[in-house]
PDB file of all heavy atoms in Angstrom:
ATOM      1  N   PRO A 242       6.700  -2.819   8.670  1.00 94.00           N
ATOM      2  CA  PRO A 242       7.931  -3.481   8.734  1.00 94.00           C
ATOM      3  C   PRO A 242       8.611  -3.253  10.115  1.00 94.00           C
ATOM      4  O   PRO A 242       8.469  -2.196  10.702  1.00 94.00           O
ATOM      5  CB  PRO A 242       8.772  -2.967   7.641  1.00 94.00           C
ATOM      6  CG  PRO A 242       7.865  -2.262   6.742  1.00 94.00           C
ATOM      7  CD  PRO A 242       6.680  -1.768   7.520  1.00 94.00           C
ATOM      8  N   LEU A 243       9.359  -4.183  10.521  1.00 96.00           N
ATOM      9  CA  LEU A 243      10.136  -4.074  11.830  1.00 96.00           C
ATOM     10  C   LEU A 243      11.170  -2.951  11.587  1.00 96.00           C
ATOM     11  O   LEU A 243      11.682  -2.720  10.458  1.00 96.00           O
ATOM     12  CB  LEU A 243      10.904  -5.361  12.110  1.00 96.00           C
ATOM     13  CG  LEU A 243      10.087  -6.557  12.663  1.00 96.00           C
ATOM     14  CD1 LEU A 243      11.018  -7.811  12.773  1.00 96.00           C
ATOM     15  CD2 LEU A 243       9.336  -6.296  13.930  1.00 96.00           C
ATOM     16  N   TYR A 244      11.467  -2.232  12.669  1.00 96.00           N
ATOM     17  CA  TYR A 244      12.247  -1.047  12.632  1.00 96.00           C
ATOM     18  C   TYR A 244      13.507  -1.278  13.411  1.00 96.00           C
ATOM     19  O   TYR A 244      13.429  -1.735  14.517  1.00 96.00           O
ATOM     20  CB  TYR A 244      11.407   0.043  13.273  1.00 96.00           C
ATOM     21  CG  TYR A 244      11.544   1.440  12.812  1.00 96.00           C
ATOM     22  CD1 TYR A 244      12.197   1.762  11.647  1.00 96.00           C
ATOM     23  CD2 TYR A 244      10.945   2.514  13.505  1.00 96.00           C
ATOM     24  CE1 TYR A 244      12.239   3.104  11.221  1.00 96.00           C
ATOM     25  CE2 TYR A 244      11.010   3.793  13.119  1.00 96.00           C
ATOM     26  CZ  TYR A 244      11.734   4.140  11.970  1.00 96.00           C
ATOM     27  OH  TYR A 244      11.737   5.411  11.517  1.00 96.00           O
ATOM     28  N   LEU A 245      14.646  -0.881  12.945  1.00 98.00           N
ATOM     29  CA  LEU A 245      15.899  -0.931  13.639  1.00 98.00           C
ATOM     30  C   LEU A 245      15.922   0.374  14.513  1.00 98.00           C
ATOM     31  O   LEU A 245      15.993   1.516  13.949  1.00 98.00           O
ATOM     32  CB  LEU A 245      17.017  -1.097  12.752  1.00 98.00           C
ATOM     33  CG  LEU A 245      18.441  -1.404  13.407  1.00 98.00           C
ATOM     34  CD1 LEU A 245      19.372  -2.092  12.454  1.00 98.00           C
ATOM     35  CD2 LEU A 245      19.071  -0.134  13.955  1.00 98.00           C
ATOM     36  N   PHE A 246      16.036   0.170  15.813  1.00 97.00           N
ATOM     37  CA  PHE A 246      15.912   1.254  16.782  1.00 97.00           C
ATOM     38  C   PHE A 246      16.876   0.920  17.898  1.00 97.00           C
ATOM     39  O   PHE A 246      16.528   0.244  18.822  1.00 97.00           O
ATOM     40  CB  PHE A 246      14.460   1.327  17.315  1.00 97.00           C
ATOM     41  CG  PHE A 246      13.946   2.694  17.498  1.00 97.00           C
ATOM     42  CD1 PHE A 246      12.978   3.123  16.468  1.00 97.00           C
ATOM     43  CD2 PHE A 246      14.316   3.573  18.434  1.00 97.00           C
ATOM     44  CE1 PHE A 246      12.419   4.385  16.583  1.00 97.00           C
ATOM     45  CE2 PHE A 246      13.702   4.762  18.579  1.00 97.00           C
ATOM     46  CZ  PHE A 246      12.817   5.179  17.632  1.00 97.00           C
ATOM     47  N   ASP A 247      18.163   1.348  17.892  1.00 98.00           N
ATOM     48  CA  ASP A 247      19.091   0.889  18.836  1.00 98.00           C
ATOM     49  C   ASP A 247      19.747   1.966  19.664  1.00 98.00           C
ATOM     50  O   ASP A 247      20.344   2.940  19.128  1.00 98.00           O
ATOM     51  CB  ASP A 247      20.263   0.118  18.061  1.00 98.00           C
ATOM     52  CG  ASP A 247      21.028  -0.723  18.936  1.00 98.00           C
ATOM     53  OD1 ASP A 247      21.773  -0.167  19.810  1.00 98.00           O
ATOM     54  OD2 ASP A 247      21.014  -1.899  18.876  1.00 98.00           O
ATOM     55  N   ALA A 248      19.615   1.869  20.971  1.00 97.00           N
ATOM     56  CA  ALA A 248      20.136   2.859  21.900  1.00 97.00           C
ATOM     57  C   ALA A 248      21.610   2.724  22.227  1.00 97.00           C
ATOM     58  O   ALA A 248      22.219   3.562  22.902  1.00 97.00           O
ATOM     59  CB  ALA A 248      19.280   2.775  23.179  1.00 97.00           C
ATOM     60  N   LYS A 249      22.170   1.529  21.843  1.00 97.00           N
ATOM     61  CA  LYS A 249      23.568   1.310  22.286  1.00 97.00           C
ATOM     62  C   LYS A 249      24.515   1.317  21.084  1.00 97.00           C
ATOM     63  O   LYS A 249      25.561   0.739  21.107  1.00 97.00           O
ATOM     64  CB  LYS A 249      23.619  -0.111  22.948  1.00 97.00           C
ATOM     65  CG  LYS A 249      22.745  -0.224  24.182  1.00 97.00           C
ATOM     66  CD  LYS A 249      23.454   0.229  25.451  1.00 97.00           C
ATOM     67  CE  LYS A 249      22.682   0.140  26.624  1.00 97.00           C
ATOM     68  NZ  LYS A 249      21.782   1.257  26.888  1.00 97.00           N
ATOM     69  N   PHE A 250      24.099   1.976  20.058  1.00 98.00           N
ATOM     70  CA  PHE A 250      24.936   1.912  18.776  1.00 98.00           C
ATOM     71  C   PHE A 250      26.299   2.505  18.898  1.00 98.00           C
ATOM     72  O   PHE A 250      27.233   2.077  18.224  1.00 98.00           O
ATOM     73  CB  PHE A 250      24.130   2.554  17.614  1.00 98.00           C
ATOM     74  CG  PHE A 250      24.005   4.051  17.657  1.00 98.00           C
ATOM     75  CD1 PHE A 250      24.829   4.753  16.846  1.00 98.00           C
ATOM     76  CD2 PHE A 250      23.125   4.618  18.476  1.00 98.00           C
ATOM     77  CE1 PHE A 250      24.730   6.193  16.860  1.00 98.00           C
ATOM     78  CE2 PHE A 250      22.980   6.001  18.482  1.00 98.00           C
ATOM     79  CZ  PHE A 250      23.850   6.835  17.719  1.00 98.00           C
ATOM     80  N   THR A 251      26.441   3.500  19.810  1.00 98.00           N
ATOM     81  CA  THR A 251      27.752   4.184  19.890  1.00 98.00           C
ATOM     82  C   THR A 251      28.678   3.298  20.645  1.00 98.00           C
ATOM     83  O   THR A 251      29.926   3.350  20.453  1.00 98.00           O
ATOM     84  CB  THR A 251      27.585   5.548  20.586  1.00 98.00           C
ATOM     85  OG1 THR A 251      27.036   5.459  21.864  1.00 98.00           O
ATOM     86  CG2 THR A 251      26.902   6.575  19.676  1.00 98.00           C
ATOM     87  N   GLU A 252      28.159   2.509  21.606  1.00 97.00           N
ATOM     88  CA  GLU A 252      28.973   1.519  22.317  1.00 97.00           C
ATOM     89  C   GLU A 252      29.332   0.376  21.420  1.00 97.00           C
ATOM     90  O   GLU A 252      30.495  -0.082  21.407  1.00 97.00           O
ATOM     91  CB  GLU A 252      28.234   0.955  23.555  1.00 97.00           C
ATOM     92  CG  GLU A 252      28.144   1.867  24.768  1.00 97.00           C
ATOM     93  CD  GLU A 252      26.834   2.592  24.884  1.00 97.00           C
ATOM     94  OE1 GLU A 252      26.389   3.119  23.773  1.00 97.00           O
ATOM     95  OE2 GLU A 252      26.162   2.600  25.886  1.00 97.00           O
ATOM     96  N   LYS A 253      28.397  -0.041  20.600  1.00 98.00           N
ATOM     97  CA  LYS A 253      28.709  -1.238  19.696  1.00 98.00           C
ATOM     98  C   LYS A 253      29.576  -0.854  18.533  1.00 98.00           C
ATOM     99  O   LYS A 253      30.448  -1.588  18.164  1.00 98.00           O
ATOM    100  CB  LYS A 253      27.352  -1.711  19.070  1.00 98.00           C
ATOM    101  CG  LYS A 253      26.486  -2.303  20.085  1.00 98.00           C
ATOM    102  CD  LYS A 253      25.081  -2.697  19.547  1.00 98.00           C
ATOM    103  CE  LYS A 253      24.114  -3.173  20.616  1.00 98.00           C
ATOM    104  NZ  LYS A 253      22.797  -3.353  20.140  1.00 98.00           N
ATOM    105  N   VAL A 254      29.407   0.331  18.017  1.00 98.00           N
ATOM    106  CA  VAL A 254      30.263   0.801  16.904  1.00 98.00           C
ATOM    107  C   VAL A 254      30.705   2.262  17.099  1.00 98.00           C
ATOM    108  O   VAL A 254      30.094   3.225  16.672  1.00 98.00           O
ATOM    109  CB  VAL A 254      29.431   0.714  15.608  1.00 98.00           C
ATOM    110  CG1 VAL A 254      30.355   0.965  14.427  1.00 98.00           C
ATOM    111  CG2 VAL A 254      28.756  -0.612  15.401  1.00 98.00           C
ATOM    112  N   PRO A 255      31.784   2.376  17.991  1.00 98.00           N
ATOM    113  CA  PRO A 255      32.217   3.789  18.305  1.00 98.00           C
ATOM    114  C   PRO A 255      32.309   4.716  17.182  1.00 98.00           C
ATOM    115  O   PRO A 255      32.073   5.919  17.286  1.00 98.00           O
ATOM    116  CB  PRO A 255      33.475   3.542  19.140  1.00 98.00           C
ATOM    117  CG  PRO A 255      33.368   2.097  19.576  1.00 98.00           C
ATOM    118  CD  PRO A 255      32.567   1.340  18.571  1.00 98.00           C
ATOM    119  N   GLU A 256      32.719   4.246  15.953  1.00 98.00           N
ATOM    120  CA  GLU A 256      32.901   5.131  14.865  1.00 98.00           C
ATOM    121  C   GLU A 256      31.579   5.814  14.504  1.00 98.00           C
ATOM    122  O   GLU A 256      31.608   6.991  14.023  1.00 98.00           O
ATOM    123  CB  GLU A 256      33.441   4.310  13.669  1.00 98.00           C
ATOM    124  CG  GLU A 256      33.769   5.223  12.584  1.00 98.00           C
ATOM    125  CD  GLU A 256      34.390   4.523  11.266  1.00 98.00           C
ATOM    126  OE1 GLU A 256      35.089   3.493  11.521  1.00 98.00           O
ATOM    127  OE2 GLU A 256      34.251   5.033  10.190  1.00 98.00           O
ATOM    128  N   MET A 257      30.433   5.139  14.767  1.00 98.00           N
ATOM    129  CA  MET A 257      29.238   5.797  14.365  1.00 98.00           C
ATOM    130  C   MET A 257      28.954   6.999  15.291  1.00 98.00           C
ATOM    131  O   MET A 257      28.404   7.967  14.862  1.00 98.00           O
ATOM    132  CB  MET A 257      28.131   4.732  14.460  1.00 98.00           C
ATOM    133  CG  MET A 257      28.089   3.758  13.364  1.00 98.00           C
ATOM    134  SD  MET A 257      26.761   2.531  13.583  1.00 98.00           S
ATOM    135  CE  MET A 257      25.319   3.375  12.995  1.00 98.00           C
ATOM    136  N   GLY A 258      29.465   6.835  16.534  1.00 98.00           N
ATOM    137  CA  GLY A 258      29.238   7.962  17.425  1.00 98.00           C
ATOM    138  C   GLY A 258      30.135   9.160  17.121  1.00 98.00           C
ATOM    139  O   GLY A 258      29.843  10.242  17.344  1.00 98.00           O
ATOM    140  N   ARG A 259      31.214   8.922  16.378  1.00 98.00           N
ATOM    141  CA  ARG A 259      32.212   9.926  16.002  1.00 98.00           C
ATOM    142  C   ARG A 259      31.712  10.617  14.728  1.00 98.00           C
ATOM    143  O   ARG A 259      32.192  11.665  14.322  1.00 98.00           O
ATOM    144  CB  ARG A 259      33.565   9.411  15.820  1.00 98.00           C
ATOM    145  CG  ARG A 259      34.169   8.979  17.171  1.00 98.00           C
ATOM    146  CD  ARG A 259      35.674   8.756  17.090  1.00 98.00           C
ATOM    147  NE  ARG A 259      36.089   7.575  16.243  1.00 98.00           N
ATOM    148  CZ  ARG A 259      36.121   6.373  16.667  1.00 98.00           C
ATOM    149  NH1 ARG A 259      36.056   6.161  17.982  1.00 98.00           N
ATOM    150  NH2 ARG A 259      36.505   5.337  15.835  1.00 98.00           N
ATOM    151  N   ASP A 260      30.778  10.061  14.026  1.00 98.00           N
ATOM    152  CA  ASP A 260      30.325  10.536  12.657  1.00 98.00           C
ATOM    153  C   ASP A 260      29.156  11.628  12.753  1.00 98.00           C
ATOM    154  O   ASP A 260      28.693  12.030  11.763  1.00 98.00           O
ATOM    155  CB  ASP A 260      29.909   9.378  11.853  1.00 98.00           C
ATOM    156  CG  ASP A 260      31.088   8.664  11.196  1.00 98.00           C
ATOM    157  OD1 ASP A 260      32.246   9.256  11.273  1.00 98.00           O
ATOM    158  OD2 ASP A 260      30.912   7.564  10.621  1.00 98.00           O
TER     159      ASP A 260
END
Side-chain angles (χ1 to χ4, degrees):
L243 289 175
Y244 212 12
L245 188 155
F246 222 104
D247 195 294
K249 300 276 178 277
F250 72 104
T251 56
E252 284 98 311
K253 292 173 186 170
V254 188
E256 187 176 332
M257 288 176 78
R259 292 194 291 272
D260 281 347

